[in-house]
Amino acid sequence: NHLGAIFVQVVTRSSREGFDAEMRVVDLVTVEGELGARFEIFDEADLDAAIAKFEQLSRPVRRLETAASRAAERVAAYFAARDWDGMATILAENLFNDDRRRLVGGGVRRGRDAQLSSLRAIAETFSAGMTSTVVATRGNNLGLVHNRFSSRDGGPGEFVSEIYCVGELDADGRIESVITFDVDDFDAAIAELDRRYLASESARSEERRGGKECRSRWS
């Protein structure tokens, strides 16, 4: 289907001594555009398992529809259009960005202007586009996003940079914090998402208790 294919690969070999050998495996391949995205190899006897896995991958993915996911979509759209004025409308003025990537991490940056400058530099230096996939959400205002930046040429050997970002919205629906991780640091990204969610839930509980105390004093 449009996702990819399953096929049987037959590999034949001949040794210097004249011995012929044949190996059969089942390959599962999925694609994104014209690029391979997933490769899995099964024994020939496991064809049914390969088909079941392919059918699982072919099922429509349920979108995670929250304020955080909608914000991620807007960021990707503004980036593609190079609409920096539009981008500014979704970023909080006091935005906090902590780039925790091991080799190229930029550390802590504060403010909307610093974030805009970083995005513009990425766009102007090498990137032709950005795709954002929401991987997980916590509540309405927290989300973990997988971002992929592609190079300008768009050819078969195009450079692709991938990162995970934990984003949090403020009360006005603007992005107030972004924590960036290497793409192989998924566990750390999920842990940060959970930590921030528990912290926000704790803060809300404190506010609710404070409100009850005030009402009891004046009742």
Side-chain angles (χ1 to χ4, degrees):
N1 60 25
H2 69 282
L3 175 73
I6 290 178
F7 57 91
V8 175
Q9 181 179 191
V10 181
V11 180
T12 57
R13 291 287 186 270
S14 296
S15 68
R16 293 178 180 176
E17 292 76 20
F19 176 75
D20 295 329
E22 180 179 285
M23 179 180 68
R24 291 173 175 263
V25 295
V26 176
D27 288 344
L28 182 158
V29 179
T30 66
V31 296
E32 291 183 9
E34 296 182 355
L35 301 177
R38 175 189 291 264
F39 299 86
E40 296 191 31
I41 301 175
F42 298 79
D43 289 326
E44 185 182 21
D46 291 335
L47 176 61
D48 289 343
I51 292 174
K53 182 62 176 290
F54 189 75
E55 290 176 347
Q56 179 185 8
L57 294 171
S58 299
R59 294 177 191 142
V61 178
R62 182 176 62 87
R63 292 183 59 190
L64 300 172
E65 186 67 27
T66 65
S69 68
R70 290 190 293 271
E73 292 173 356
R74 289 175 63 189
V75 168
Y78 288 141
F79 186 91
R82 304 302 193 256
D83 182 357
W84 309 120
D85 290 336
M87 187 77 77
T89 65
I90 200 172
L91 304 179
E93 186 175 355
N94 60 342
L95 186 147
F96 172 83
N97 187 321
D98 186 1
D99 189 347
R100 300 181 185 176
R101 289 175 294 170
R102 289 182 291 275
L103 296 179
V104 296
V108 174
R109 294 191 300 272
R110 299 180 185 274
R112 176 194 296 150
D113 291 342
Q115 185 71 3
L116 285 171
S117 296
S118 176
L119 290 170
R120 293 185 70 152
I122 293 172
E124 293 169 1
T125 302
F126 72 89
S127 184
M130 176 176 72
T131 59
S132 294
T133 303
V134 179
V135 177
T137 59
R138 297 291 184 272
N140 195 47
N141 292 338
L142 271 164
L144 173 60
V145 182
H146 178 204
N147 287 332
R148 302 176 79 248
F149 297 90
S150 59
S151 62
R152 293 183 183 280
D153 56 28
E158 68 174 342
F159 172 77
V160 175
S161 175
E162 299 181 75
I163 58 174
Y164 282 119
C165 291
V166 174
E168 186 169 6
L169 308 185
D170 62 16
D172 296 321
R174 295 187 178 91
I175 300 172
E176 67 175 0
S177 66
V178 178
I179 315 297
T180 305
F181 298 86
D182 287 311
V183 74
D184 61 354
D185 238 356
F186 178 77
D187 290 344
I190 280 287
E192 180 67 22
L193 182 71
D194 289 338
R195 186 190 71 79
R196 287 179 169 269
Y197 177 67
L198 292 174
S200 64
E201 284 296 294
S202 177
R204 279 193 286 271
S205 295
E206 288 293 332
E207 290 177 1
R208 286 193 291 268
R209 283 198 294 270
K212 290 179 181 178
E213 289 175 2
C214 287
R215 286 194 295 273
S216 66
R217 292 194 192 102
W218 291 97
S219 60

